[in-house]
Amino acid sequence: MELSQDVKFWLNFIHPVLMWGLLAASFYALYLGVQVRRTRYAEGDVKKELIKGRYNVKHYQIGSVILALMVLGTLAAMGVTYINNQKLFLGPHLLVGLGMTGMIAVSASLSPFMQKGQNWARYTHIVLNSALLALFSWQAVSGVQIIQNILSKR
């Protein structure tokens, strides 16, 4: 089954739209993570008020959604690239994206250790996700350049 050129063209935009949404969600997850940390170290009435925000549950849930969509988005982007070009382009955007996918998987795998109070897991989670956000921001810029290249060829 051969896809029409129009379908192939529009498939190029699913990944960038998804990833920009995930970048925004990642900054929200950062906010929630900071609130979880504030809750952990707060005392008295401040702590009681922060607990009501259920930041830990929200952080865990949004992180799970981000993990799933990032893995699926990475695979889908590679699939669309292959459908449209019969090859993948081995370059910084692909390699960084694959590295990010591995990083987010490792970061999420630390959850059981963090739930048991292991500070090494918390600090590793924070470092990995900080690096992930920095790389994700760079990916957003390089992705726009790729889209501009696709649009210039149409």
Side-chain angles (χ1 to χ4, degrees):
M1 177 179 122
E2 182 68 24
L3 297 175
S4 74
Q5 289 303 315
D6 283 339
V7 170
K8 286 182 177 182
F9 176 75
W10 289 107
L11 282 174
N12 287 308
F13 299 100
I14 294 171
H15 175 75
V17 169
L18 173 65
M19 290 299 141
W20 274 95
L22 287 179
L23 179 59
S26 296
F27 278 105
Y28 178 60
L30 169 64
Y31 164 77
L32 293 172
V34 169
Q35 297 310 314
V36 169
R37 197 157 177 78
R38 280 187 60 218
T39 303
R40 182 174 294 108
Y41 293 110
E43 295 178 4
D45 290 337
V46 173
K47 185 167 189 149
K48 288 178 186 175
E49 196 60 36
L50 286 169
I51 288 172
K52 290 178 187 175
R54 297 177 38 111
Y55 297 114
N56 59 337
V57 173
K58 292 175 186 175
H59 180 73
Y60 187 82
Q61 290 172 338
I62 193 77
S64 297
V65 170
I66 292 168
L67 168 65
L69 292 177
M70 183 176 284
V71 170
L72 293 174
T74 299
L75 296 172
M78 292 169 63
V80 167
T81 300
Y82 191 81
I83 286 169
N84 285 336
N85 303 287
Q86 290 71 53
K87 65 179 179 176
L88 295 177
F89 298 103
L90 190 62
H93 191 82
L94 174 63
L95 295 175
V96 170
L98 289 172
M100 288 171 55
T101 302
M103 287 171 70
I104 197 169
V106 171
S107 180
S109 75
L110 297 170
S111 291
F113 301 103
M114 290 185 288
Q115 290 170 348
K116 291 197 181 336
Q118 300 293 318
N119 281 330
W120 67 266
R122 284 193 181 103
Y123 292 124
T124 304
H125 179 80
I126 291 167
V127 168
L128 284 172
N129 286 336
S130 297
L132 191 63
L133 263 178
L135 290 171
F136 211 161
S137 297
W138 177 83
Q139 285 287 86
V141 173
S142 68
V144 168
Q145 293 168 343
I146 292 169
I147 289 299
Q148 288 173 333
N149 186 31
I150 289 168
L151 289 172
S152 71
K153 291 180 180 177
R154 178 126 167 131

